[in-house]
Amino acid sequence: MALDGLKRFFGGGDAGDDPGPSGPFLEAEGKPSVRLAIDPDREIARVKKLTKDAQARESYISYISALYELVARGDTSPGNIGGLVNGFACKHKLLRDEAGSTLMKLSHHFPEVGGEFFRIMEQEGEEVRLNLIKSIFHDMPPRPTTVGLLQRALTDPGNRVRYFAVDRIRTCEIRELVPQLLEQRKAEVETKMQRFIDFNVALMV
């Protein structure tokens, strides 16, 4: 499958060449770059040093495998895209945050990744949904995807998911969702959440 902006690079050139990325990478005008280590085994070895938690290791290694298939080979099959979800499920915060940042960047290059975010919001557990929303920052993912995800998260059954949705709407300056914020305030029963919405709306209008 031909993918605009997909480049493959495994190692440097001659000694006189400018140094290049150490492994496969994605680069396209107006999109964030994604650069990986030359060998996924290096990433796996690093994971094993960072955590002894079997679940954290398994989740992140599964994510790494899917990530390399996507970036190096352009594998956008549903099974491989689905494997990226394990990055959000990893229990180790550093690894999870790294995965979240990378996945947000990938969504600029592969619409299928953005589509997977919406599936996560409908079908995955609260912790995975929360980690996805916490990974959203300015222009990551693309704004239409960001708006759709945060609009969905505003009515999520999980209190923490809704809390971070409100926070990200403000920090990403999504003013078009202020009416939805005000509607959600009416639906909230906890005073703390109502005040949090009021505080964030006040900073946006």
Side-chain angles (χ1 to χ4, degrees), residues 1-10 21 23-29 31-36 66-77 80 105-106 108-113:
M1 179 179 182
L3 296 165
D4 179 41
L6 178 64
K7 298 181 180 181
R8 300 178 190 179
F9 193 100
F10 294 91
F25 71 98
L26 290 166
E27 197 169 66
E29 185 177 354
K31 299 179 182 180
S33 298
V34 180
R35 297 170 180 263
L36 306 181
L67 177 62
Y68 273 79
E69 287 295 319
L70 182 63
V71 176
R73 296 191 176 90
D75 183 355
T76 57
S77 64
N80 194 59
K105 294 176 183 178
L106 281 173
H108 282 266
H109 298 270
F110 299 99
E112 298 92 338
V113 175

Side-chain angles (χ1 to χ4, degrees), residues 136-138 164 166-174 200 204:
I136 294 174
F137 289 97
H138 278 287
F164 275 97
V166 174
D167 176 79
R168 293 304 189 262
I169 288 171
R170 176 183 60 80
T171 58
C172 294
E173 300 179 344
I174 315 266
N200 283 276
M204 298 175 67

Side-chain angles (χ1 to χ4, degrees), residues 107-122:
S107 66
H108 282 266
H109 298 270
F110 299 99
E112 298 92 338
V113 175
E116 182 67 9
F117 292 163
F118 286 98
R119 187 201 66 77
I120 288 172
M121 293 305 297
E122 295 299 328

Side-chain angles (χ1 to χ4, degrees), residues 95-156:
L95 297 175
R96 185 176 64 242
D97 290 349
E98 286 182 6
S101 175
T102 300
L103 287 167
M104 293 297 126
K105 294 176 183 178
L106 281 173
S107 66
H108 282 266
H109 298 270
F110 299 99
E112 298 92 338
V113 175
E116 182 67 9
F117 292 163
F118 286 98
R119 187 201 66 77
I120 288 172
M121 293 305 297
E122 295 299 328
Q123 299 179 15
E124 296 292 334
E126 180 178 344
E127 200 67 30
V128 176
R129 301 196 310 272
L130 173 64
N131 292 334
L132 190 162
I133 297 302
K134 289 170 72 173
S135 297
I136 294 174
F137 289 97
H138 278 287
D139 299 323
M140 290 190 196
R143 190 173 181 89
T145 304
T146 296
V147 173
L149 289 171
L150 292 177
Q151 187 171 16
R152 161 63 181 81
L154 264 182
T155 57
D156 193 274

Side-chain angles (χ1 to χ4, degrees), residues 14-81:
D14 295 333
D17 292 345
D18 291 331
S22 58
F25 71 98
L26 290 166
E27 197 169 66
E29 185 177 354
K31 299 179 182 180
S33 298
V34 180
R35 297 170 180 263
L36 306 181
I38 190 169
D39 186 348
D41 288 340
R42 294 185 183 183
E43 286 292 307
I44 292 171
R46 184 174 72 96
V47 171
K48 291 180 177 178
K49 289 181 180 179
L50 283 173
T51 179
K52 293 182 179 180
D53 185 282
Q55 190 276 339
R57 285 182 173 185
E58 182 180 351
S59 295
Y60 201 77
I61 289 171
S62 175
Y63 153 76
I64 284 293
S65 299
L67 177 62
Y68 273 79
E69 287 295 319
L70 182 63
V71 176
R73 296 191 176 90
D75 183 355
T76 57
S77 64
N80 194 59
I81 293 289

